[in-house]
Amino acid sequence: AEDSLSHYVVIRRKGGGSKTHRRLFDKLHLRRPDEGAVCLSGLTNKLQRHSWKLARELQREKGIEKVIECELRRRQDLKHLVVTDDVYLTERLMRSHDVVVVSFMQFSN
């Protein structure tokens, strides 16, 4: 792997938000609170670029820190990579700290 980062970030939606937040949540497949998650990682150069792009988008959103929660996880604990758009599967898998889940959009861009 090309990953040189020591951690990755798991983003979850808490609830609430404005219309602009909802558009971003739709894009991230976080349509409902406590359903699904988005992982920002640097496992490959493509994923790292995509993660930076999403992080910048999130940073630009006013008040986003009130409607999302971010969790920092250690890269060395990671054992599995799963590519899926299934939010329910993502939610179940992210309860374990040894897996990173990315969407098909993240993996292919």
Side-chain angles (χ1 to χ4, degrees), residues 36-94:
V38 174
C39 295
L40 303 183
S41 72
L43 293 174
T44 67
N45 286 334
K46 274 184 172 182
L47 280 174
Q48 193 170 17
R49 279 193 308 271
H50 189 268
S51 294
W52 276 112
K53 183 180 166 189
L54 281 179
R56 281 192 301 271
E57 251 182 277
L58 287 166
Q59 193 175 27
R60 281 192 293 266
E61 286 288 331
K62 287 183 171 37
I64 195 74
E65 65 281 350
K66 296 174 187 157
V67 293
I68 64 170
E69 62 183 21
C70 300
E71 177 187 352
L72 194 61
R73 293 189 180 179
R74 294 180 336 155
R75 168 66 177 90
Q76 71 185 40
D77 297 336
L78 183 61
K79 295 182 182 140
H80 308 284
L81 169 68
V82 177
V83 180
T84 184
D85 284 334
D86 184 324
V87 294
Y88 300 111
L89 177 61
T90 300
E91 183 60 37
R92 285 195 308 274
L93 290 170
M94 292 312 300

Side-chain angles (χ1 to χ4, degrees), residues 95-107:
R95 291 181 193 143
S96 168
H97 284 262
D98 64 349
V99 65
V100 67
V101 180
V102 296
S103 69
F104 284 104
M105 178 187 69
Q106 284 178 283
F107 199 69

